[in-house]
């Protein structure tokens, strides 16, 4: 257990040291986080998301689902003295927008939460090809859609099984259910608070698979224990 804890802390500790050595900021975050947060919290977010990629705010593409759209040309990293000045500026702009537009921010939160965790539709992405959007190929759509469907099935099973075990399970089962819910919330939070793309969330399919195995094993164990418990009690009392 100690070795696993050391291994788990090695990467964030190294990143913390890297940020301090290069930017003189003791932060476990990335300087990209400010811009990524701004993508998910601005006036234009709900205009294009989830129909089209929020990357369009920082790219020359100005067509969403074949329709021309009017977006500001965000400068991104260029023009800032340092990476953390870039991070802080976009983070402040996002926070100011949330404070000034609470109703729209709440709507954006709900849209992203649904898109990241439950939406059965792939979020379209765009690639710079001149000033036009480039659609996914048929094979990419098929593979991506299948992978998304597997993930959604695991998420729904994990949510349902966790809630059931929290209500009806014993102490070990409840601990597994809480761990599963904590993992789901913890992994989804950055993409909901920032901007949610299934390509960033796809790793959760593998994590959800592991959780599903533990949840399923506890469901089987509880069902088996409840099925055999009465017969053991009857046998102990001397009746057949």
């Amino acid at each position: 257990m100690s070795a696993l804890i050391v291994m788990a802390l090695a990467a964030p500790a190294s990143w913390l040291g890297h940020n301090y050595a290069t930017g003189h900021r003791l932060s476990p975050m990335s300087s990209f986080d400010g811009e990524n947060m701004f993508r998910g919290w601005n006036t234009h977010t709900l205009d294009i998301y989830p129909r089209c990629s929020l990357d369009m705010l920082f790219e020359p593409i100005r067509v969403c689902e074949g329709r021309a759209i009017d977006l500001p040309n965000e400068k991104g990293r260029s023009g800032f003295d340092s990476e953390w000045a870039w991070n802080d500026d976009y983070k402040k702009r996002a926070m100011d927008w949330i404070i000034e537009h609470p109703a729209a921010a709440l709507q954006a939160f709900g849209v992203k939460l649904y898109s990241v965790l439950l939406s059965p539709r792939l979020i379209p992405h765009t690639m710079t090809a001149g000033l036009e959007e480039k659609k996914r190929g048929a094979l990419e759509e098929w593979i991506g859609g299948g992978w998304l469907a597997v993930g959604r099935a695991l998420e729904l099973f994990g949510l349902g099984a966790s809630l059931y075990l929290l209500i009806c399970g014993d102490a070990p089962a409840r601990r597994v259910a809480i761990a599963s819910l904590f993992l789901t919330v913890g992994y989804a939070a950055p993409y909901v608070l920032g901007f949610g793309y299934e390509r960033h969330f796809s790793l959760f399919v593998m994590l959800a698979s592991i959780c599903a195995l533990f949840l399923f094993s506890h469901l089987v164990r509880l069902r088996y224990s409840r099925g055999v418990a009465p017969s053991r009690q009857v046998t102990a009392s001397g009746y057949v």
Side-chain angles (χ1 to χ4, degrees):
M1 181 62 70
S2 298
L4 289 173
I5 292 174
V6 170
M7 291 173 62
L9 294 177
S14 299
W15 185 250
L16 194 73
H18 167 76
N19 281 339
Y20 186 74
T22 59
H24 305 292
R25 177 175 294 201
L26 198 62
S27 172
M29 309 300 288
S30 163
S31 57
F32 270 97
D33 294 336
E35 182 179 302
N36 287 341
M37 183 175 179
F38 174 78
R39 293 170 196 256
W41 305 99
N42 69 86
T43 302
H44 303 280
T45 297
L46 292 173
D47 293 339
I48 57 177
Y49 183 83
R51 297 182 297 109
C52 293
S53 168
L54 291 174
D55 289 334
M56 298 172 70
L57 292 166
F58 292 86
E59 294 182 355
I61 300 171
R62 291 293 179 266
V63 178
C64 177
E65 293 187 333
R67 180 173 60 88
I69 55 175
D70 182 22
L71 292 175
N73 187 16
E74 292 293 337
K75 58 185 177 180
R77 172 68 173 85
S78 62
F80 290 96
D81 294 335
S82 69
E83 61 176 319
W84 291 109
W86 160 55
N87 172 85
D88 295 345
D89 181 80
Y90 275 106
K91 179 181 178 182
K92 183 180 184 304
R93 289 175 61 184
M95 292 300 298
D96 289 345
W97 184 83
I98 291 173
I99 294 171
E100 294 170 5
H101 304 86
L106 183 61
Q107 183 183 357
F109 178 84
V111 169
K112 288 188 289 182
L113 185 67
Y114 172 76
S115 297
V116 169
L117 288 175
L118 296 174
S119 174
R121 178 175 178 260
L122 285 172
I123 298 171
H125 70 173
T126 52
M127 297 178 62
T128 304
L131 297 179
E132 299 296 326
E133 56 185 342
K134 183 180 179 181
K135 298 295 187 181
R136 289 187 178 95
L139 181 60
E140 188 180 2
E141 284 282 353
W142 184 83
I143 294 175
W147 183 254
L148 184 64
V150 170
R152 293 299 186 242
L154 288 170
E155 290 166 20
L156 291 173
F157 170 78
L159 178 61
S162 296
L163 293 177
Y164 176 81
L165 291 174
L166 278 175
I167 298 172
C168 302
D170 54 16
R174 284 195 290 271
R175 285 196 292 269
V176 170
I178 291 173
S180 176
L181 292 172
F182 180 81
L183 179 61
T184 301
V185 173
Y187 198 91
Y191 305 110
V192 175
L193 296 177
F195 65 109
Y197 292 161
E198 73 281 337
R199 70 171 182 263
H200 296 154
F201 201 61
S202 60
L203 177 64
F204 182 70
V205 176
M206 290 173 275
L207 298 176
S209 300
I210 297 174
C211 287
L213 290 174
F214 280 97
L215 292 167
F216 182 75
S217 67
H218 276 277
L219 288 171
V220 172
R221 179 181 62 80
L222 287 175
R223 185 173 185 273
Y224 174 77
S225 64
R226 289 171 180 173
V228 300
S231 62
R232 287 177 180 172
Q233 293 172 357
V234 170
T235 303
S237 63
Y239 295 95
V240 179

